[in-house]
Amino acid sequence: MLDQNTSAQLKTLLQRLESPIEIIASLDGSDKSDKIKELVAEIAALSDQVTARFDGTHQRAPSFAIAKVGEQPRVHFAGLPMGHEFTSLILALLQVSGYAAKVSDEVLAQIKALNLTADFEVFVSLSCHNCPDVVQALNLIAIHNPGTTATMIDGAFFQDEVEQRKIMAVPMLFQNGQHIGQGRMSLEEIVAKLDSGSAAKDAEKLNNKAIFDVLVIGGGPAGNTAAIYAARKGIQTGIVAERLGGQVMDTMDIENYTSVQKTQGPKFAAEMEAHVRSYDVDIMNLQKVSSIQGANETADGLVAVTLDNGAQLKSKTIVLSTGARWREMNVPGEQEYKTRGVAYCPHCDGPLFKGKRVAVIGGGNSGVEAAIDLAGLVEHVTLVEFDTKLRADQVLQDKLNSLPNTTVIMNALSTEVIGDGTQVTALKYQDRATQTEHSITLAGIFVQIGLLPNTEFLSTSNIELSNRGEIVINDRNETNVKGVFAAGDCTTVPYKQIIIATGEGAKAALSAFDYIIRSGQ
């Protein structure tokens, strides 16, 4: 099950175990059970601190659990945690033994104070790069809350259950059998969701913050770079972000960032965050901005930032770097069938449609890449493009056209998502040339039609926006409002690329610093 190199690395890591643990497998005699048994035996053979047992009676078999010797297991894996989930397995082995998790004392105290008694389940696919964060967060919560369990369920291992529970997007999170969330969630987000008093506590702390010199709104490449450049000037710098990493967290392979030949979005985001944290930057994560007032709109001449929880922050300058998100089709049925057939991440959710018929909306690079990836998993892919030609790179078009289970429909306007009340069953579209209506029978629709700037919160402000909702800036990243700068995908700068966003973030921070000096603040 484990190759020689992986076994050697795992053996070294298991030397960090703080106390003896046991892995308890619940088997059912199937081929999948044989694989579970093989993995458990191989891990146990790597350390005398690990004991393998094959007498488990967990209701979901085949599966295995990890526990301190003499304790009831609280961390469960229903499936083989390989691929992206292998790190989740390693961390579970170590943390169950008592090895300290790499989280702040504040977050750990909040986890322990939850005082939960609950059973968590998270459905994953092993190709999902968003799932491990959720699995690892729930495992940590279970480890520090006796009476609470966390179970990772590989949808491919338990396909019948996936069908029965109509799970068509991952990660999908349940608490005591009730759906409580889906999609990428950090440990802090999950803890905040479970801690009913967290918003009020956050607001109190935020209201007591001192005045910033530069306050960055947004935690993606532009925002992180702006914070680094500002902090290096030795001035009071903060970041307010809904989630650190931004859209990069939803990106799979990155191959065009100079000096980095290839990496993955979550890894790139983690390295950005670590870089920011190496400086004296006040990071305020999981906070959403509701409104902004420029320096010429406030009595004290400072920029005022109001958050959703009611807290207000003051700064001499701000840098808006709120990024963008996937554009939606905005047709009937799309909202109703989100996570029930309508999806936006082929890497995460593609495996759930194995052997089924799906459509991809969009003929740019992202759409054609999605169709190519999905063609290796599903029965058939229909790519639907609004234009009369595909806009993807020719090499991608050639690859798509070489695949036997793909169809391309161009000059087509998607008009409606059809479902049976529980899941998607078809897509309606109109032939733009003949105005005739057509319907494609399918189980999934992957939307890949570009980006929308995250600027809705500025609709009532005096900050100028383009007709596409982008923040209008000049060559120094200045907006039309005093003390307010902007950078990255939320602005009018063309070409939404990570490397361009980082450069723009640097420019915005330097312009903000220059503004502070020249204004004598």
Side-chain angles (χ1 to χ4, degrees):
M1 183 63 65
L2 302 176
D3 61 41
Q4 187 174 0
N5 184 51
T6 303
S7 292
Q9 291 177 347
L10 183 54
K11 184 174 184 178
T12 300
L13 289 169
L14 291 177
Q15 293 173 8
R16 303 179 187 179
L17 291 172
E18 294 287 329
S19 60
I21 62 173
E22 54 186 6
I23 308 176
I24 307 116
S26 299
L27 307 175
D28 63 2
S30 64
D31 291 342
K32 293 175 181 176
S33 274
D34 292 340
K35 293 179 180 178
I36 293 278
K37 187 174 183 179
E38 181 183 353
L39 176 63
V40 169
E42 286 184 14
I43 295 171
L46 297 176
S47 172
D48 56 9
Q49 291 273 76
V50 182
T51 302
R53 284 175 41 196
F54 302 100
D55 57 352
T57 57
H58 193 268
Q59 60 181 2
R60 189 179 281 106
S63 65
F64 66 92
I66 304 170
K68 271 187 181 180
V69 173
E71 293 187 1
Q72 286 295 311
R74 302 202 287 274
V75 174
H76 301 263
F77 291 92
L80 289 167
M82 307 304 285
H84 290 297
E85 293 297 347
F86 191 62
T87 300
S88 301
L89 171 61
I90 293 171
L91 290 175
L93 292 166
L94 295 175
Q95 291 169 4
V96 166
S97 80
Y99 187 83
K102 291 184 178 180
V103 298
S104 69
D105 292 341
E106 183 180 5
V107 171
L108 190 58
Q110 192 177 4
I111 290 171
K112 292 177 179 178
L114 290 173
N115 198 26
L116 276 175
T117 299
D119 294 314
F120 292 104
E121 300 168 311
V122 55
F123 284 82
V124 307
S125 68
L126 300 186
S127 61
C128 170
H129 58 284
N130 290 327
C131 295
D133 280 356
V134 178
V135 173
Q136 292 161 28
L138 294 177
N139 287 348
L140 193 60
I141 290 169
I143 288 167
H144 291 286
N145 282 268
T148 294
T149 65
T151 305
M152 180 216 82
I153 305 165
D154 178 5
F157 237 64
F158 293 89
Q159 193 66 43
D160 290 345
E161 189 172 357
V162 166
E163 296 283 349
Q164 179 186 356
R165 295 172 75 164
K166 307 297 183 186
I167 292 166
M168 307 189 81
V170 290
M172 186 75 75
L173 174 59
F174 295 85
Q175 180 180 1
N176 297 330
Q178 298 298 310
H179 173 253
I180 62 168
Q182 71 275 328
R184 186 179 189 91
M185 290 177 280
S186 67
L187 171 63
E188 291 83 358
E189 286 175 283
I190 294 172
V191 172
K193 182 186 287 286
L194 299 173
D195 184 356
S196 58
S198 64
K201 288 183 284 189
D202 284 348
E204 184 179 357
K205 286 188 293 185
L206 292 165
N207 275 325
N208 293 324
K209 297 281 185 183
I211 295 169
F212 293 95
D213 292 307
V214 175
L215 181 61
V216 179
I217 312 299
N224 281 314
T225 306
I228 289 168
Y229 269 72
R232 285 175 63 85
K233 295 294 185 182
I235 57 180
Q236 189 67 35
T237 305
I239 287 185
V240 173
E242 285 192 60
R243 66 165 181 169
L244 289 173
Q247 194 190 0
V248 169
M249 298 292 280
D250 301 322
T251 303
M252 196 59 178
D253 292 334
I254 299 170
E255 299 178 338
N256 55 359
Y257 195 88
T258 308
S259 81
V260 181
Q261 291 188 21
K262 184 173 182 178
T263 187
Q264 292 185 326
K267 183 174 186 291
F268 186 88
E271 289 170 349
M272 280 197 303
E273 181 179 343
H275 197 171
V276 174
R277 290 189 183 278
S278 70
Y279 291 95
D280 187 16
V281 176
D282 188 344
I283 297 175
M284 293 157 277
N285 196 19
L286 307 183
Q287 301 299 331
K288 187 175 182 180
V289 174
S290 60
S291 65
I292 287 171
Q293 287 180 289
N296 55 349
E297 301 172 80
T298 58
D300 54 13
L302 297 170
V303 182
V305 176
T306 302
L307 307 181
D308 265 9
N309 59 17
Q312 189 175 79
L313 302 169
K314 292 290 188 77
S315 183
K316 296 174 183 177
T317 64
I318 63 168
V319 175
L320 296 169
S321 54
T322 49
R325 65 189 183 278
W326 288 116
R327 185 185 297 272
E328 298 178 350
M329 294 186 290
N330 290 321
V331 300
E334 181 178 19
Q335 296 301 319
E336 181 182 354
Y337 290 103
K338 266 187 178 179
T339 75
R340 295 192 290 169
V342 176
Y344 302 86
C345 179
H347 299 293
C348 300
D349 300 332
L352 299 175
F353 295 86
K354 186 176 181 180
K356 299 178 180 179
R357 301 178 74 86
V358 303
V360 172
I361 312 299
N365 281 347
S366 60
V368 174
E369 287 174 349
I372 292 169
D373 288 345
L374 289 166
L377 294 169
V378 304
E379 178 187 339
H380 188 272
V381 180
T382 301
L383 188 144
V384 180
E385 166 57 33
F386 179 82
D387 205 348
T388 56
K389 61 182 182 297
L390 299 182
R391 293 163 285 110
D393 296 341
Q394 190 60 48
V395 64
L396 294 174
Q397 293 188 44
D398 292 343
K399 175 63 175 176
L400 178 66
N401 292 331
S402 73
L403 300 173
N405 62 334
T406 63
T407 301
V408 177
I409 301 174
M410 289 184 282
N411 206 19
L413 172 65
S414 300
T415 57
E416 187 176 0
V417 174
I418 304 298
D420 61 7
T422 59
Q423 61 190 45
V424 167
T425 58
L427 171 72
K428 281 188 176 181
Y429 72 92
Q430 182 185 77
D431 185 315
R432 295 176 60 222
T434 64
Q435 303 299 305
T436 55
E437 296 283 343
H438 301 270
S439 180
I440 311 169
T441 299
L442 41 70
I445 301 169
F446 290 83
V447 184
Q448 303 280 289
I449 54 174
L451 302 171
L452 275 177
N454 296 317
T455 57
E456 290 84 356
F457 70 102
L458 299 174
S459 61
T460 58
S461 75
N462 293 322
I463 296 170
E464 183 183 358
L465 302 178
S466 72
N467 59 4
R468 301 174 68 175
E470 297 169 323
I471 302 169
V472 178
I473 58 172
N474 63 15
D475 59 358
R476 296 177 62 85
N477 295 83
E478 297 169 318
T479 71
N480 64 309
V481 173
K482 185 179 178 183
V484 179
F485 302 80
D489 288 3
C490 64
T491 72
T492 49
V493 168
Y495 311 119
K496 312 306 185 186
Q497 298 289 311
I498 295 172
I499 198 164
I500 292 173
T502 56
E504 290 293 304
K507 281 173 56 188
L510 294 173
S511 292
F513 180 68
D514 188 57
Y515 167 86
I516 293 170
I517 293 174
R518 292 177 183 274
S519 63
Q521 293 199 42

